[in-house]
C-alpha cells in the first residue's frame, strides 16, 4: 500500500460520513435531552415524558409490551417508567379486557396536562435554539431527518 501524498485531502467514504452523521445526531440527542430534562416539571424524566408524549401523539391504550417495542427497551425498563408515571397519577394501568393477564396503559387528564406543561417549560430552550438554525434551515432538515427516521424504524431488525 502506498503512502498518501502529504497535501492530498482524502475524501471520506459514504460509510464514514454516515458514521459522522449518526455521531452528531447522538451528541445532539444527549445535549438536547439533558437540557430538556432539566426543565421538566413534576420531577419527570426524559423517559417518562417520552411515554406521555407517545401516548398523546399516537394514542394510548397500548400494552407495556407494545410500548417497550416502540421504545426499543426491555419490558423491565419500561415497567419501571410506567410505575413511576402511575404513582404520579399521569397514567392508569388497567387490566386488558380481552386478556386478563395483560395490562393497558391509559393516559390520565393529569398526564396530558403534565405533557403540555413540559412542552411549555421547553419553550425557552427552543427560543434560544433559533439562534443556531433559521426557520428555513429547520424546514430544509425536516424531510431528511424524517426520511432517515422512517428508514431506521422500518429496518429495526438489521
Amino acid at each position: 500500500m502506498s503512502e498518501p501524498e502529504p497535501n492530498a485531502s482524502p475524501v471520506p467514504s459514504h460509510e464514514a460520513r454516515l458514521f459522522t452523521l449518526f455521531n452528531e445526531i447522538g451528541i445532539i440527542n444527549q445535549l438536547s435531552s439533558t437540557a430538556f430534562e432539566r426543565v421538566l416539571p413534576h420531577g419527570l424524566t426524559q423517559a417518562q415524558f417520552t411515554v406521555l408524549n407517545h401516548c398523546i401523539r399516537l394514542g394510548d391504550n397500548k400494552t407495556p409490551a407494545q410500548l417497550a417495542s416502540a421504545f426499543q427497551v426491555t419490558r423491565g425498563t419500561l415497567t419501571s417508567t410506567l410505575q413511576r408515571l402511575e404513582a404520579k397519577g399521569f397514567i392508569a394501568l388497567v387490566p386488558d379486557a380481552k386478556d386478563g393477564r395483560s395490562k393497558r396503559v391509559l393516559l390520565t387528564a393529569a398526564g396530558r396536562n403534565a405533557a403540555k406543561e413540559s412542552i411549555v417549560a421547553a419553550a425557552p430552550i427552543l427560543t434560544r435554539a433559533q439562534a443556531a438554525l433559521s426557520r428555513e434551515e429547520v424546514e430544509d432538515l425536516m424531510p431528511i431527518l424524517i426520511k432517515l427516521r422512517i428508514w431506521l424504524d422500518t429496518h429495526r431488525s438489521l
Side-chain angles (χ1 to χ4, degrees), residues 100-121:
R101 298 169 297 156
S102 185
K103 301 265 186 205
R104 291 282 173 170
V105 177
L106 302 178
L107 194 59
T108 66
R112 287 186 189 284
N113 288 336
K116 288 176 188 173
E117 290 172 28
S118 297
I119 293 167
V120 169

Side-chain angles (χ1 to χ4, degrees), residues 74-153:
T74 66
R75 289 171 77 172
T77 297
L78 188 74
T79 296
S80 174
T81 300
L82 294 177
Q83 288 171 342
R84 286 175 170 78
L85 286 170
E86 185 178 39
K88 293 177 183 193
F90 295 155
I91 63 163
L93 293 171
V94 300
D96 188 316
K98 294 179 183 172
D99 177 3
R101 298 169 297 156
S102 185
K103 301 265 186 205
R104 291 282 173 170
V105 177
L106 302 178
L107 194 59
T108 66
R112 287 186 189 284
N113 288 336
K116 288 176 188 173
E117 290 172 28
S118 297
I119 293 167
V120 169
I125 297 167
L126 301 173
T127 298
R128 289 192 310 271
Q130 291 179 56
L133 294 172
S134 69
R135 182 180 183 93
E136 182 178 283
E137 289 171 318
V138 171
E139 295 292 334
D140 289 345
L141 278 171
M142 289 308 297
I144 297 165
L145 293 174
I146 291 168
K147 179 181 177 181
L148 179 58
R149 182 206 20 99
I150 290 169
W151 187 89
L152 288 167
D153 197 29

